[in-house]
Amino acid sequence: MDLDFLFTPARIGRAGEDVALQIEAAIMDEKIKPGEGLPSERELQMQFKTGRGVIREAMRALKQKGLIEIRKGARGGAYVKQIDVSNVSESLALFLKQQHIGLAHIAEFRESIDRTITTLAIARADDTEKQQLVTEVEKLQECLQQAEPDMEALGDMDRELNIRLAKMTKNPIFEWIMRALQLGFSSQDYALYEDPGYRQKTVANWDETARHIADNEPLRAQASVGAHYEMLQRCAAEVEDAQRPANLADDKPTPNAD
């Protein structure tokens, strides 16, 4: 692609936005591919028939979107970035945390998406993938049976199981969303692993779900998914109840000395 004739003069009044949109469109259409450099700042000024300030404003906007990176040195300049799903997932996870999304909303969404993922995994994954899911759950059980279970390892294995199951749908969007939800235990499943009793039940539920998937039993697998979220809600309610007396005590007014 000849970049000398790729862009048209920027619109007067919204020049910075128009420059950014034209370059973004060229990137999305793969007229400029990941790893390739944009024309120099001077060349962009000539193509868009605008000033340096407008070009720099557009570069800042594109960089903020994660579409380009600015390199320094002899071969410096603006280069198109490969959009990484992990960056997108991390941004979504941070957004959920910043919005203070409650457990009930996250659990409701997770249950609905997990039911869809489970159904698609049974329909689309092959026998080898289903058996591998069972094998990975068995590794989770082995980790749990250690005298002093490695809680970080348990958490990592649980996250990877969720992502593995999402991959089995053969729909990458489910995997991307699942990665976002799993970052930092955004799913709130960590509450189940903190309690020894619920920890055992959670791993047992994973084993039950994986075996129902491997046996191609969607109704039983769906029942196991529902049982997991009932358990999560119950665990969260117990944690909240345990914390309430301390909070109430802190809120009590101090008796009047008079």
Side-chain angles (χ1 to χ4, degrees):
M1 170 62 65
D2 187 351
L3 299 184
D4 291 340
F5 303 97
L6 186 57
F7 306 114
T8 60
R11 294 168 55 190
I12 298 174
R14 302 178 65 179
E17 180 183 353
D18 188 46
V19 169
L21 288 174
Q22 285 195 51
I23 296 175
E24 179 178 335
I27 293 172
M28 293 297 101
D29 291 341
E30 297 188 327
K31 293 176 181 176
I32 314 176
K33 297 181 180 180
E36 294 182 347
L38 298 181
S40 70
E41 188 176 275
R42 183 181 296 276
E43 291 170 334
L44 289 173
Q45 289 179 56
M46 293 176 61
Q47 287 196 47
F48 288 110
K49 299 188 182 305
T50 189
R52 176 185 297 178
V54 170
I55 298 300
R56 292 188 173 179
E57 177 189 342
M59 292 301 106
R60 285 194 295 270
L62 293 167
K63 183 180 178 182
Q64 186 174 16
K65 287 185 176 182
L67 292 173
I68 66 169
E69 60 181 345
I70 306 300
R71 300 179 188 174
K72 298 181 179 180
R75 298 179 62 83
Y79 286 79
V80 177
K81 287 181 64 177
Q82 176 69 54
I83 299 176
D84 193 331
V85 66
S86 64
N87 293 336
V88 177
S89 297
E90 185 174 355
S91 296
L92 178 55
L94 290 172
F95 175 77
L96 291 174
K97 291 178 181 179
Q98 189 178 54
Q99 298 302 312
H100 304 292
I101 303 299
L103 171 62
H105 287 103
I106 292 176
E108 181 181 56
F109 178 75
R110 273 293 311 277
E111 181 175 0
S112 66
I113 197 172
D114 277 1
R115 287 182 178 277
T116 301
I117 285 172
T118 298
T119 299
L120 292 177
I122 291 174
R124 297 176 178 175
D126 59 36
D127 291 341
T128 300
E129 291 172 307
K130 293 172 183 176
Q131 187 54 49
Q132 188 60 44
L133 180 68
V134 173
T135 300
E136 294 302 317
V137 171
E138 289 173 348
K139 293 179 182 179
L140 180 68
Q141 291 176 311
E142 291 173 5
C143 183
L144 181 65
Q145 297 309 317
Q146 295 176 2
E148 295 184 5
D150 184 334
M151 298 304 297
E152 184 175 351
L154 281 171
D156 289 342
M157 294 170 78
D158 185 280
R159 282 193 290 273
E160 289 305 315
L161 281 169
N162 278 286
I163 294 168
R164 176 181 290 276
L165 185 55
K167 284 182 178 179
M168 290 165 62
T169 67
K170 313 301 183 183
N171 183 333
I173 298 175
F174 283 111
E175 180 186 348
W176 300 337
I177 296 298
M178 184 58 70
R179 284 187 183 278
L181 291 171
Q182 290 297 321
L183 277 174
F185 267 133
S186 295
S187 61
Q188 303 295 323
D189 286 345
Y190 69 87
L192 293 169
Y193 283 94
E194 289 181 346
D195 182 278
Y198 279 112
R199 193 183 309 153
Q200 293 281 351
K201 293 176 182 177
T202 299
V203 175
N205 179 270
W206 255 124
D207 180 66
E208 182 181 84
T209 304
R211 294 187 186 281
H212 289 329
I213 290 172
D215 291 338
N216 297 311
E217 296 182 332
L219 293 180
R220 291 185 177 182
Q222 292 285 356
S224 294
V225 170
H228 171 80
Y229 285 99
E230 287 179 10
M231 183 166 51
L232 177 59
Q233 296 279 22
R234 187 165 62 251
C235 176
E238 290 176 7
V239 170
E240 185 177 341
D241 289 342
Q243 294 174 344
R244 186 173 292 116
N247 293 337
L248 289 175
D250 292 340
D251 293 339
K252 286 182 179 178
T254 303
N256 193 322
D258 297 336

